[in-house]
Amino acid sequence: MKDGMRSNRWGIGALIFLFAALATAACGEEKTLKVGIENNFRPFTYTESGENKGFEVELWSAVADKANIKYELVPMEHSEINQAVKSGKVDLAIAGMTVNKARKDNFAFSDPYFQTGLVLLTAADNDEIKSKDDLAQKLVGTEAGSTAYIYASSIKDVKEVRGYSDISEAYDKLSNKTLDAVIFDERNAHDYLQNDGKGKVKMVGEVLNQESYAIIMKKKSKYLGRINNGIEAVGKNGTYETLYAKWFGSKPKKLPGG
């Protein structure tokens, strides 16, 4: 009898352990990911009156739904994003992160979800600067730590490249003519031209290069495959095209995941 009771107790204990393990695994699957976004990168991601808005905010919502991922958004400055992902403060980030070799050495990237390029802005009444070839001995501004900063620094004979934690600071300096030019993302520059910079600045020359944006996360992230599947799904079901038209007023030249 005692042996039978002992056996039953061991059996019950094993079941309790099994249920606890299953519950723990289920909780792990339901983890709420922290997703970094840039707090002022219109029209991609920005925070307005406490609400997170933008193309990337809505795109990520659609991708996360397809990938069955729960999340919370964490707005921050562009210069904070790499370190936030590296340290684990956020699990991943969707914030206009250009795919390049330097970042690939340290992070994992999703499949690209956006094609863009860098453009050159100058004051509306500046007839001297017509392209990057006219930037010799000029002051050029952009966002610190961005690929635009790297590109601007490579232009021959530029007097100085000034990096700002928020691109709006560079735009303000250009408007009051503290800077001679600004180099930055094409779509963000268009948004500025149509709104706060209207009549103050202009875009000159052609697109300086081509870039791709992707979601950034730690190497060997277990979410990478699910996220790529989500990106492909929203590209195929019409969601991406709808969001692109809403935020940029045209059809995308290329769909993600294709």
Side-chain angles (χ1 to χ4, degrees):
M1 183 69 177
K2 289 182 178 180
D3 289 342
M5 291 177 63
R6 188 180 298 114
S7 177
N8 287 339
R9 285 199 297 271
W10 278 110
I12 293 170
L15 285 173
I16 292 172
F17 177 82
L18 177 61
F19 287 136
L22 290 172
T24 301
C27 289
E29 290 174 0
E30 296 299 319
K31 177 185 175 182
T32 299
L33 300 189
K34 292 185 177 181
V35 179
I37 62 171
E38 190 168 347
N39 56 16
N40 188 23
F41 184 41
R42 298 171 182 262
F44 292 93
T45 58
Y46 60 98
T47 303
E48 186 175 77
S49 301
E51 184 180 355
N52 298 312
K53 300 179 179 181
F55 170 76
E56 288 177 328
V57 170
E58 295 188 11
L59 176 64
W60 170 251
S61 176
V63 170
D65 181 64
K66 291 296 182 183
N68 194 28
I69 290 174
K70 293 184 177 181
Y71 68 94
E72 62 176 292
L73 297 177
V74 183
M76 61 185 70
E77 292 189 354
H78 179 85
S79 59
E80 299 176 293
I81 292 171
N82 282 359
Q83 185 57 36
V85 175
K86 188 179 295 185
S87 68
K89 180 180 179 180
V90 297
D91 297 285
L92 54 95
I94 179 168
M97 300 301 289
T98 302
V99 180
N100 61 26
K101 185 182 183 305
R103 287 176 179 158
K104 275 188 170 183
D105 287 343
N106 297 292
F107 301 99
F109 279 98
S110 71
D111 292 336
Y113 62 81
F114 199 84
Q115 308 298 317
T116 188
L118 301 176
V119 292
L120 175 62
L121 301 182
T122 191
D125 60 355
N126 187 322
D127 296 323
E128 185 180 352
I129 298 175
K130 297 181 173 63
S131 74
K132 70 171 185 176
D133 297 329
D134 301 316
L135 294 178
Q137 300 308 307
K138 304 297 183 186
L139 290 175
V140 179
T142 188
E143 192 171 66
S146 66
T147 53
Y149 186 92
I150 296 171
Y151 183 91
S153 300
S154 72
I155 297 175
K156 186 178 179 181
D157 296 329
V158 168
K159 182 177 182 180
E160 183 184 349
V161 178
R162 294 180 179 175
Y164 300 88
S165 60
D166 192 315
I167 190 59
S168 63
E169 296 179 64
Y171 289 147
D172 288 343
K173 298 291 185 182
L174 180 61
S175 293
N176 65 30
K177 300 184 180 180
T178 303
L179 293 172
D180 297 303
V182 164
I183 292 176
F184 202 56
D185 170 82
E186 179 183 13
R187 291 297 180 176
N188 179 261
H190 273 295
D191 184 82
Y192 178 70
L193 283 170
Q194 294 167 4
N195 294 288
D196 294 346
K198 193 170 184 178
K200 301 176 184 176
V201 302
K202 63 184 178 182
M203 189 180 299
V204 295
E206 300 179 350
V207 176
L208 300 175
N209 70 342
Q210 296 296 323
E211 297 184 338
S212 297
Y213 290 165
I215 299 167
I216 189 173
M217 62 204 82
K218 282 185 177 180
K219 290 274 193 180
K220 299 181 180 179
S221 170
K222 67 179 182 179
Y223 300 101
L224 180 59
R226 289 162 61 182
I227 289 170
N228 283 340
N229 289 338
I231 291 172
E232 182 177 8
V234 300
K236 288 182 175 178
N237 68 10
T239 300
Y240 183 89
E241 194 168 357
T242 298
L243 292 177
Y244 194 101
K246 172 184 176 179
W247 288 98
F248 304 111
S250 62
K251 287 187 176 182
K253 293 179 181 179
K254 183 180 180 181
L255 293 174

